[in-house]
Amino acid sequence: QVQLVESGGGLVQPGGSLRLSCAASGTGIIFSINTMGWYRQAPGKQRELVAAITSGGRMDYADSVKGRFTISRDNAKNTVYLQMNSLKSEDTAVYYCNAGGTRVFSKASFNFWGQGTQVTVSS
């Protein structure tokens, strides 16, 4: 099974920056990852898409983070990054990495989630 290893979360003051990383491992030649992205879930709220990027470089951002967050990926490493600038208290949440694609042989879809990394924005 694909494992997503996340890092980079932590405590930061408002206006500060953090860079999240998520590396997918265990794919071998079985899984072909197409889309990688970041979701977040704050206390009392539903999980929401923060940003996503396809293997071709197409990106999507939540309106609340446009202009502040930047998603990027290294396809060779199956790694996705999220550069978060001008952080606000409203950005406080558990951030989850996601990877989706297809099994190369059966063409069936797959979707994996990381365990989540806490981002806390507070003074």
Side-chain angles (χ1 to χ4, degrees), residues 20 22 33 48 52 72 75 83 87 103 105 109 115-116 118:
L20 305 183
C22 173
I33 295 176
E48 64 175 352
S72 61
N75 290 335
Q83 179 66 47
L87 284 162
R103 294 168 62 96
F105 295 106
S109 298
Q115 64 183 18
Q118 177 70 47

Side-chain angles (χ1 to χ4, degrees), residues 10-123:
L11 174 65
V12 65
Q13 294 184 335
S17 299
L18 286 173
R19 181 177 174 86
L20 305 183
S21 299
C22 173
S25 62
T27 59
I29 61 172
I30 304 300
F31 299 98
S32 178
I33 295 176
N34 178 32
T35 303
M36 299 188 75
W38 293 93
Y39 293 72
R40 68 185 181 188
Q41 187 166 21
K45 296 185 177 181
Q46 295 182 330
R47 187 174 299 185
E48 64 175 352
L49 172 69
V50 178
I53 184 170
T54 69
S55 60
R58 301 216 304 175
M59 295 170 283
D60 189 27
Y61 294 93
D63 289 340
S64 60
V65 307
K66 288 181 179 178
R68 300 188 298 118
F69 292 8
T70 302
I71 190 169
S72 61
R73 68 185 290 174
D74 184 331
N75 290 335
K77 297 180 179 179
N78 280 334
T79 299
V80 64
Y81 308 92
L82 185 67
Q83 179 66 47
M84 304 184 293
N85 299 325
S86 301
L87 284 162
K88 307 173 182 179
S89 60
E90 293 81 9
D91 296 316
T92 296
V94 177
Y95 284 69
Y96 297 91
C97 180
N98 175 266
T102 59
R103 294 168 62 96
V104 297
F105 295 106
S106 70
K107 306 301 181 182
S109 298
F110 72 86
N111 192 288
F112 295 100
W113 291 91
Q115 64 183 18
T117 183
Q118 177 70 47
V119 172
T120 302
V121 184
S122 177
S123 60

